[in-house]
Amino acid sequence: MPRTNPGQFVRQVRQEIGKVSWPSRKETGISTVMVFIMVFLASMFFLLVDFLMGEGVKLIFGLGG
């Protein structure tokens, strides 16, 4: 693989960055909101599962109550 000089490397990097399709501000906002919603739903799911498993262990072993 032939070596490139630093100037050519920088030009190639700038050329490749120009090919990237960046999301719009609206798309970024929608994606951010969706991530927060999914995190909330996942945390509620695991909270419920943890609670049910804890209650099941208490019921089986008679602990904590």
Side-chain angles (χ1 to χ4, degrees):
M1 181 173 199
R3 296 184 58 103
T4 58
N5 65 35
Q8 185 180 7
F9 175 75
V10 170
R11 281 190 297 277
Q12 289 174 351
V13 168
R14 292 185 81 194
Q15 184 180 18
E16 290 299 319
I17 288 176
K19 295 178 184 179
V20 175
S21 61
W22 300 99
S24 68
R25 182 175 293 271
K26 183 179 179 181
E27 291 171 330
T28 303
I30 290 171
S31 297
T32 302
V33 170
M34 292 304 295
V35 166
F36 280 115
I37 290 170
M38 292 305 295
V39 167
F40 176 77
L41 292 175
S43 65
M44 290 297 106
F45 170 76
F46 287 114
L47 179 70
L48 177 65
V49 169
D50 180 57
F51 174 77
L52 293 175
M53 290 181 77
E55 291 299 315
V57 168
K58 287 180 190 175
L59 181 66
I60 292 171
F61 294 114
L63 300 173

